[in-house]
Amino acid sequence: MQPPVEYITRIRDNYAKLGYKPYQWVMNESTPPWTPLRKPLSECRLGLVASGGIYVTGQVAFHFKDDVSFRTIPTTVKTSDLRTAHFAYDQTDARRDPNVVFPIDTLRRLVKEGFIGELADHFYTFMGGIYSSRRVAEELAPQLTERLLAERVDIALLVPV
Amino acid sequence: MGLIARHAEAAGIPTLCMGSALDILKAGKPPRAAFLDYPLGHTTGKPHEPELQREILRQALEGFNSLTVPGSIKMLPFRWSEEDEWKLTAMSTGDSRTPRHDTPQYQTEEDRRLAEASNPAACPVCEVSA
C-alpha cells in the first residue's frame, strides 16, 4: 500500500516547469472554529459547496484565470444537464458521472432513505485553483456563507477536487 | 476549501470537508474532514458505482457525529485499487493542467451557444454568478 500522494510538492514542481508563479498554499495553523450539531443527521437540512467546476448547461462556464465566481445549482437539477469546466484535473469520469465530484444523486438517495433530513434548494459550485487567497477569504467565502445561511442549512458538506 | 469551511463554521454552520489530497486537507485544516484516498477528480467516488458512492458518503457524513476535535480528519477505508499503481502515475506524470484561459471553457459548443443566448453580457471574465 502506497502512502497518500504529496500534491503540494508535485503541483509546486509542475507550476515551476510551466513558468507559472508559485502557488501559495493556505497553511492554517490555528485551531479551526467549531459549531456543534444541533440535531441528528436524519433531521438536518444539508447544503453543499463543491469546487469541481460544475455548471448547468445554459449557465456561463468557468474560466481558468482566478475565477472567483460561483454557480447556483438547483437541487432538482437533471443530472444529465450538469457539465464541468476545470483546468486542473482529468474530467473524463466527472463528465461521465458528475456524482464523483458533485454527489447530487447520492445525496437525493440518502434523503429518500432518511439518512439525512433534506437538501437545501440550491447547491453552490466554483472552480478553485485561485491564486489570491485574499479574494477567497474576502469575497468567495463570505458570499458562499451568506448563501448557506440564506438556505437555512443545518450542516454543509464541502467537496473540493 | 479550508478557508470556506472555516468561514461557514465561524458563522454557525457545522461543516465537513471531504478531500482526496491529504496534504492539502491538512494544510487547510478545516473543522471536520474526511479523506478518501482516490485519484483527484473522484472526491466522492467512482463513476457509475452508486452503491459505492452511497457508502462513501454515508461514512463521510457520519463524521458529523464521530469527529469531536476541531481539525481532525476521518480516514475513509476505501481503496481505488489493490496495488495503488495510480499513485505512481500521479507522482511521476508531467502536468495535466490546461492553460489558464481567461474566457469561459465550455464542455460543449452547445453549452456555449445556450449560455451566450441567455446571457448577452456573458463577459469572458465575469465576476458575478449566473
Side-chain angles (χ1 to χ4, degrees):
Chain A
M1 192 171 166
Q2 303 284 332
V5 176
E6 288 176 21
Y7 286 102
I8 292 179
T9 315
R10 179 192 146 217
I11 293 168
R12 188 174 284 147
D13 292 350
N14 285 341
Y15 271 38
K17 256 184 268 172
L18 289 168
Y20 291 167
K21 54 182 179 170
Y23 191 91
Q24 299 294 325
W25 296 95
V26 171
M27 297 286 181
N28 288 318
E29 307 286 346
S30 62
T31 304
W34 188 263
T35 302
L37 244 66
R38 296 178 193 86
K39 45 177 92 162
L41 277 180
S42 59
E43 293 172 21
C44 281
R45 180 173 166 88
L46 179 141
L48 180 124
V49 176
S51 72
I54 295 99
Y55 66 96
V56 183
T57 180
Q59 290 181 334
V60 176
F62 295 94
H63 64 81
F64 297 170
K65 215 166 188 175
D66 271 18
D67 192 337
V68 293
S69 69
F70 61 87
R71 302 292 173 271
T72 301
I73 316 274
T75 48
T76 51
V77 71
K78 262 173 64 185
T79 309
S80 58
D81 284 344
L82 294 170
R83 306 281 187 268
T84 70
H86 205 292
F87 76 104
Y89 73 94
D90 182 344
Q91 296 165 87
T92 311
D93 284 344
R95 288 178 171 182
R96 287 170 59 208
D97 179 7
N99 286 290
V100 302
V101 291
F102 185 75
I104 181 71
D105 293 319
T106 321
L107 287 169
R108 287 195 279 229
R109 178 172 170 187
L110 290 178
V111 168
K112 204 176 287 177
E113 293 175 354
F115 186 78
I116 42 181
E118 61 178 356
L119 304 184
D121 293 339
H122 305 93
F123 285 168
Y124 296 91
T125 58
F126 64 103
M127 202 195 65
I130 299 162
Y131 266 101
S132 172
S133 60
R134 184 190 57 79
R135 291 190 68 190
V136 175
E138 293 177 7
E139 298 173 36
L140 191 54
Q143 286 171 8
L144 290 171
T145 298
E146 200 176 294
R147 294 298 186 104
L148 291 169
L149 290 169
E151 296 270 351
R152 295 171 293 104
V153 302
D154 299 304
I155 50 173
L157 179 66
L158 308 179
V159 181
V161 167
Chain B
M1 200 59 103
L3 285 175
I4 294 163
R6 285 169 162 247
H7 201 280
E9 188 94 18
I13 303 168
T15 63
L16 187 142
C17 185
M18 296 183 68
S20 348
L22 188 58
D23 54 350
I24 298 173
L25 212 47
K26 284 180 175 166
K29 210 173 177 183
R32 297 172 200 76
F35 171 63
L36 179 66
D37 201 1
Y38 274 9
L40 291 192
H42 307 88
T43 321
T44 48
K46 295 184 180 183
H48 299 304
E49 293 200 26
E51 299 308 319
L52 174 68
Q53 292 169 0
R54 169 178 176 269
E55 199 47 38
I56 288 169
L57 225 54
R58 279 176 61 106
Q59 293 203 27
L61 289 168
E62 274 295 343
F64 275 111
N65 296 320
S66 61
L67 299 171
T68 53
V69 178
S72 45
I73 301 174
K74 176 170 180 170
M75 308 297 270
L76 298 175
F78 302 92
R79 289 178 66 186
W80 182 261
S81 59
E82 206 52 44
E83 298 296 328
D84 281 348
E85 64 285 349
W86 66 269
K87 291 184 183 175
L88 302 174
T89 320
M91 281 313 280
S92 65
T93 47
D95 196 81
S96 57
R97 288 161 187 248
T98 45
R100 285 191 173 254
H101 305 289
D102 60 3
T103 51
Q105 299 297 305
Y106 291 95
Q107 182 172 328
T108 65
E109 276 309 306
E110 173 71 359
D111 285 356
R112 176 191 304 284
R113 201 186 56 72
L114 285 170
E116 288 177 354
S118 54
N119 304 277
C123 70
V125 283
C126 48
E127 297 277 321
V128 288
S129 58

